[in-house]
Amino acid sequence: QVQLVESGGGLVQAGGSLRLSCVASGSTFSRYYWGWFRQPPGKVREFVARIGVSGSSQAYADFVKGRFTISRDNAKNTVSLQMHSLKPEDTAVYYCAAATFASSQAQHYDYWGQGTQVTVSS
């Protein structure tokens, strides 16, 4: 069982930056592929970014390319999402998740955090 705890969300003005972190319990962190998803108000959950086991492979949704960066620190059991140039449409609850293979589909992720709210004001 893997437990995930996200932090770093908050209220920021458009154009600002936030860094989300997700700390995982257990000793198997390094074996998992990690992803960030978000759920905007009234919308379905959507893929944001994912990172491979070694950290060298990353993928991003088109709407965050060039603005968001996903990273992982296997020694600290932490996966992060650095967000720059935030827009009001980035407002959502952001979730980290763990999977046993690379995927951009939520149904392939086995473990989920509780979510952290990001609100971007215009």
Side-chain angles (χ1 to χ4, degrees), residues 86-121:
L86 284 161
K87 306 175 182 179
E89 51 265 42
D90 293 319
T91 294
V93 178
Y94 283 72
Y95 299 89
C96 66
T100 56
F101 60 94
S103 174
S104 300
Q105 300 182 52
Q107 63 264 34
H108 294 152
Y109 283 75
D110 301 308
Y111 301 103
W112 291 83
Q114 81 287 354
T116 185
Q117 177 70 47
V118 171
T119 303
V120 184
S121 62

Side-chain angles (χ1 to χ4, degrees), residues 22-41:
C22 174
V23 180
S25 65
S27 60
T28 57
F29 174 89
S30 61
R31 303 177 188 175
Y32 287 96
Y33 294 77
W34 290 89
W36 283 95
F37 292 78
R38 69 185 189 186
Q39 187 163 13

